Amino acid sequence: MTCWYEGPLAAFDTETTGVDVESDRIVSAAVVVQDAPGTRPRVTRWLVNPGVPVPAGATEVHGLTDEHLQRNGRWPAPVMYEIAEALAEQATVGRPLVVMNAPFDLTILDRELRRHRASSLDRWFERSPLLVLDPRVLDKHLDRYRKGRRTLTDLCEHYGVSLEGAHDAGADALAAMDVARAVGRRFAARLERLSPAELHTLQAVWHAAQARGLQAWFARSGTEEAVDPAWPLRPDLPAAAA
């Protein structure tokens, strides 16, 4: 029987106007599907005119300007529907979805659906549950005592994964998928007997524990920042997301 990290996977990534899932907007997104390691991935991309100005700091990260998005981007409502449909397709066929730092990308998509479609991401998975693999959560749990940052760039370097064109949604999604496969191989003894559904459930527990640890560290250092333990989707905050 093929282990999940040697089989079909999909991956999802977004680029946004900022890092606040409640108020920032998606400007680009990509879903990457790969049938097996080494096979040619199929990439679907979206470019969005968010309807709000793109801060200069965000443009410095992903290179997408207001002018480019206004000229080439589509309106958010149909795009968010298409993205949700693409993710639901992965769930329907039982293909695990790799999302680096899933609570960010999935939550900001959920808020965009609420904003533009009067809907929620959960609606697309009422019949077939989404099975998420989060390289950040997996790596932090399986190699918890390793020092250093754990951004996608850091994980790619640590696991020997090529990342060309960082902060392009398609490139980042494919790199996150490759990292997930690399994590699976490196920790095969601990992961190969776990199904994606079992891993999805375990990651929610692992992420909550990681959040509690980070919250405790913040408290000791005098930082008031709150860490949300929810994974892979943060709870609805309708007043903030309006």
Side-chain angles (χ1 to χ4, degrees):
M1 182 177 178
T2 302
C3 299
W4 60 264
Y5 48 85
E6 301 294 356
L9 292 177
F12 172 60
D13 187 72
T14 65
E15 297 299 330
T16 64
T17 59
V19 297
D20 187 336
V21 296
E22 304 300 341
S23 60
D24 280 307
R25 312 296 176 90
I26 294 173
V27 296
S28 69
V31 171
V32 177
V33 178
Q34 188 181 45
D35 294 326
T39 62
R40 185 173 182 176
R42 303 184 295 279
V43 184
T44 304
R45 303 174 184 271
W46 294 268
L47 194 65
V48 187
N49 180 352
V52 300
V54 180
T59 297
E60 288 178 6
V61 173
H62 49 59
L64 298 171
T65 64
D66 281 328
E67 181 181 3
H68 180 76
L69 293 171
Q70 289 170 10
R71 181 179 301 169
N72 301 289
R74 298 168 56 202
W75 289 114
V79 172
M80 301 311 150
Y81 177 85
E82 290 172 15
I83 295 172
E85 284 285 295
L87 300 188
E89 180 182 348
Q90 310 312 315
T92 298
V93 299
R95 187 180 292 119
L97 182 73
V98 176
V99 190
M100 175 72 184
N101 191 18
F104 179 81
D105 291 88
L106 294 182
T107 302
I108 200 168
L109 174 59
D110 175 80
R111 303 313 192 246
E112 289 278 56
L113 287 166
R114 294 173 187 274
R115 184 178 292 118
H116 297 291
R117 305 289 309 190
S119 186
S120 68
L121 187 58
D122 283 338
R123 288 190 180 183
W124 268 265
F125 307 108
E126 291 174 347
R127 294 185 178 180
S128 301
L130 189 63
L131 303 176
V132 178
L133 299 169
D134 189 332
R136 187 168 182 267
V137 174
L138 292 170
D139 175 71
K140 288 183 72 174
H141 177 77
L142 295 163
D143 199 359
R144 68 183 69 184
Y145 299 114
R146 190 179 79 251
K147 297 185 181 298
R149 289 157 50 91
R150 302 188 194 231
T151 66
L152 179 59
T153 300
D154 297 318
L155 294 186
C156 285
E157 183 177 352
H158 181 71
Y159 288 98
V161 169
S162 174
L163 174 55
E164 298 179 4
H167 300 297
D168 168 84
D172 285 358
L174 180 58
M177 180 190 296
D178 289 341
V179 168
R181 294 192 189 280
V183 171
R185 295 187 190 104
R186 183 167 299 188
F187 298 97
R190 300 167 65 180
L191 295 177
E192 63 184 355
R193 296 185 180 181
L194 294 171
S195 69
E198 291 169 326
L199 265 179
H200 182 101
T201 300
L202 285 170
Q203 285 170 101
V205 176
W206 297 343
H207 179 271
Q210 293 162 9
R212 289 193 298 270
L214 183 56
Q215 192 71 76
W217 186 85
F218 281 160
R220 291 193 300 271
S221 62
T223 302
E224 296 183 358
E225 182 178 348
V227 183
D228 197 321
W231 183 95
L233 183 65
R234 295 176 188 170
D236 177 29
L237 298 174

